[in-house]
Amino acid sequence: MSMLPKEVRLADGRCLSLKEIDPADMLDLIEAAGSAVTGASAAAWLGYAEMICSVMAIDSVPVQMPGTKEEIRDLARRIGKIGIAALYPCFHQENDEDMVVSTAKN
């Protein structure tokens, strides 16, 4: 279980409010993804989309959970590269720690 911060302050001054994606949200996200989850890059696409869809507000203005690939893409554009760069460590720190433990065991 990841421990997302409630907020992430961006280098450009914006503030992203975050929420943990629950199982029902993940099912909605998979449905919205449609054909994006049938190819070899499905896990990468879903991981990236989960990061994007965890944003529940930008500068205290609520963000609706996207319901289509286009809405996910639009939210990604609103978040921008600076936002994605700030979100990435929140989602991948746990995986990096798991990799270190796994490597140490081998």
Side-chain angles (χ1 to χ4, degrees), residues 26-101:
M26 185 55 78
L27 288 172
D28 291 342
L29 179 58
I30 291 167
E31 185 177 351
S35 63
V37 294
T38 60
S41 62
W45 193 97
L46 277 174
Y48 204 75
E50 180 181 5
M51 217 173 27
I52 291 162
C53 293
S54 72
V55 175
M56 65 180 214
I58 301 173
D59 292 331
S60 299
V61 177
V63 171
Q64 184 175 341
M65 176 75 169
T68 65
K69 283 192 291 188
E70 291 76 22
E71 290 173 356
I72 295 168
R73 191 175 297 118
D74 289 343
L75 180 55
R77 286 189 179 108
R78 286 181 59 199
I79 294 168
K81 282 185 170 185
I82 292 171
I84 295 298
L87 289 172
Y88 188 86
C90 298
F91 284 83
H92 293 87
Q93 178 182 11
E94 186 175 292
N95 293 339
D96 293 343
E97 290 173 4
D98 289 344
M99 189 182 320
V100 171
V101 171

